[in-house]
Amino acid sequence: DAGVTQSPTHLIKTRGQHVTLRCSPISGHKSVSWYQQVLGQGPQFIFQYYEKEERGRGNFPDRFSARQFPNYSSELNVNALLLGDSALYLCASSLRSHRSSYNSPLHFGNGTRLTVT
Amino acid sequence: AQTVTQSQPEMSVQEAETVTLSCTYDTSESDYYLFWYKQPPSRQMILVIRQEAYKQQNATENRFSVNFQKAAKSFSLKISDSQLGDAAMYFCAYRSAKGNEKLTFGTGTRLTIIP
């Protein structure tokens, strides 16, 4: 079975532009989460979506938004890009519902490396 | 808010030897889960081992084991018989047993394996 797939793998944008990152979860997984990993740090939680509804949001500005589609894939959108948005963006999926569960660990993709110049 | 601290930015170990990575966390909750993830240069976060806070028994997965001290809020990872493929960044992570699936990560420990 294919794992979590993210596209594109690398992206270069200019300050002020908009970016859309895409994620396809493992087949059968209904929950998708997004994380931002700045160089030298651990991932920071951005969003969790389950059944097309937002189930959790981290401490990120409104420039960050996301959505989940009927096939459970997801998009992360970032508007008005800043230099500080340069990071590795990780997507993770799980079988999970809106409640936390030990039995549904997160499976991560390889991430999208975003560089803002 | 929960926090996770990894005080060792870098560690190295001789191949076939044993190494222990440290992790402490802060929480007011009594029910939660703890994880160790490995991130090789391929960037993918790979789950190494997990522990439920209500279980007293330390989790073990082949060469990987944890020392979970709930009162001390400590969750260290021991890697036995280190192999070259173990070289990676290792992240400790916390997840509440209630609410959403948010993981709170530490800053990571870079593990180097010396041949």
Side-chain angles (χ1 to χ4, degrees), chain A residues 16-64:
Chain A
Q17 287 188 317
H18 162 271
V19 69
T20 298
L21 310 182
R22 295 177 174 83
C23 172
S24 293
I26 292 172
S27 178
H29 284 193
K30 297 183 178 182
S31 177
V32 171
S33 298
W34 288 94
Y35 287 79
Q36 180 195 65
Q37 187 177 16
V38 174
L39 190 64
Q41 304 208 4
Q44 297 288 318
F45 174 74
I46 309 175
F47 288 110
Q48 183 204 347
Y49 274 77
Y50 174 72
E51 291 287 11
K52 303 185 291 290
E53 291 187 9
E54 182 183 301
R55 301 294 183 172
R57 170 187 281 261
N59 187 24
F60 281 81
D62 292 342
R63 300 184 295 108
F64 288 76

Side-chain angles (χ1 to χ4, degrees), chain A residues 3-117:
Chain A
V4 176
T5 58
Q6 294 187 242
S7 63
T9 55
H10 295 86
L11 200 54
I12 300 175
K13 290 286 190 177
T14 303
R15 276 180 301 175
Q17 287 188 317
H18 162 271
V19 69
T20 298
L21 310 182
R22 295 177 174 83
C23 172
S24 293
I26 292 172
S27 178
H29 284 193
K30 297 183 178 182
S31 177
V32 171
S33 298
W34 288 94
Y35 287 79
Q36 180 195 65
Q37 187 177 16
V38 174
L39 190 64
Q41 304 208 4
Q44 297 288 318
F45 174 74
I46 309 175
F47 288 110
Q48 183 204 347
Y49 274 77
Y50 174 72
E51 291 287 11
K52 303 185 291 290
E53 291 187 9
E54 182 183 301
R55 301 294 183 172
R57 170 187 281 261
N59 187 24
F60 281 81
D62 292 342
R63 300 184 295 108
F64 288 76
S65 63
R67 55 180 176 168
Q68 186 177 33
F69 299 99
N71 65 355
Y72 303 111
S73 67
S74 178
E75 285 182 352
L76 175 69
N77 296 284
V78 187
N79 292 324
L81 285 167
L82 303 174
L83 294 179
D85 294 331
S86 295
L88 178 68
Y89 288 84
L90 295 166
C91 175
S93 74
S94 79
L95 284 167
R96 210 29 234 154
S97 73
H98 59 283
R99 290 183 301 148
S100 182
S101 168
Y102 168 79
N103 290 322
S104 298
L106 296 186
H107 299 264
F108 284 84
N110 287 352
T112 294
R113 172 74 66 190
L114 172 64
T115 301
V116 182
T117 62

Side-chain angles (χ1 to χ4, degrees), chain A residues 9-10 31 35 37 42-43 45 48 55-56 88 94 96 98-102 105-106 108-111 113, chain B residues 33 35 37 39 42-45 47 50-52 91 95-103 105-107:
Chain A
T9 55
H10 295 86
S31 177
Y35 287 79
Q37 187 177 16
F45 174 74
Q48 183 204 347
R55 301 294 183 172
L88 178 68
S94 79
R96 210 29 234 154
H98 59 283
R99 290 183 301 148
S100 182
S101 168
Y102 168 79
L106 296 186
F108 284 84
N110 287 352
R113 172 74 66 190
Chain B
Y33 311 117
F35 305 85
Y37 277 89
Q39 188 177 41
S42 67
R43 310 183 316 200
Q44 184 181 23
M45 300 287 281
L47 179 64
R50 55 194 175 188
Q51 175 81 41
E52 296 156 300
F91 291 94
R95 187 166 91 185
S96 173
K98 57 183 179 182
N100 58 46
E101 292 186 326
K102 174 186 174 182
L103 285 174
F105 285 89
T107 52

Side-chain angles (χ1 to χ4, degrees), chain B residues 15 19 24 27 31 36-37 59 67 74 77-78 86 90 93 107:
Chain B
E15 193 176 1
V19 64
T24 58
T27 183
D31 197 11
W36 278 97
Y37 277 89
N67 183 4
S74 171
L77 173 70
K78 185 172 81 172
D86 294 334
Y90 284 81
T107 52

Side-chain angles (χ1 to χ4, degrees), chain B residues 22-110:
Chain B
S22 301
C23 172
T24 58
Y25 58 94
D26 188 27
T27 183
S28 59
E29 299 178 326
S30 60
D31 197 11
Y32 49 86
Y33 311 117
L34 296 166
F35 305 85
W36 278 97
Y37 277 89
K38 166 185 177 182
Q39 188 177 41
S42 67
R43 310 183 316 200
Q44 184 181 23
M45 300 287 281
I46 301 167
L47 179 64
V48 174
I49 198 166
R50 55 194 175 188
Q51 175 81 41
E52 296 156 300
Y54 66 83
K55 286 188 176 179
Q56 293 187 330
Q57 186 174 7
N58 289 324
T60 298
E61 289 286 344
N62 300 314
R63 299 183 294 107
F64 299 88
S65 61
V66 299
N67 183 4
F68 173 49
Q69 302 289 329
K70 190 172 184 179
K73 296 180 182 176
S74 171
F75 183 61
S76 62
L77 173 70
K78 185 172 81 172
I79 305 174
S80 303
D81 185 25
S82 297
Q83 300 175 0
L84 294 177
D86 294 334
M89 284 291 292
Y90 284 81
F91 291 94
C92 178
Y94 171 102
R95 187 166 91 185
S96 173
K98 57 183 179 182
N100 58 46
E101 292 186 326
K102 174 186 174 182
L103 285 174
T104 300
F105 285 89
T107 52
T109 296
R110 181 175 301 281

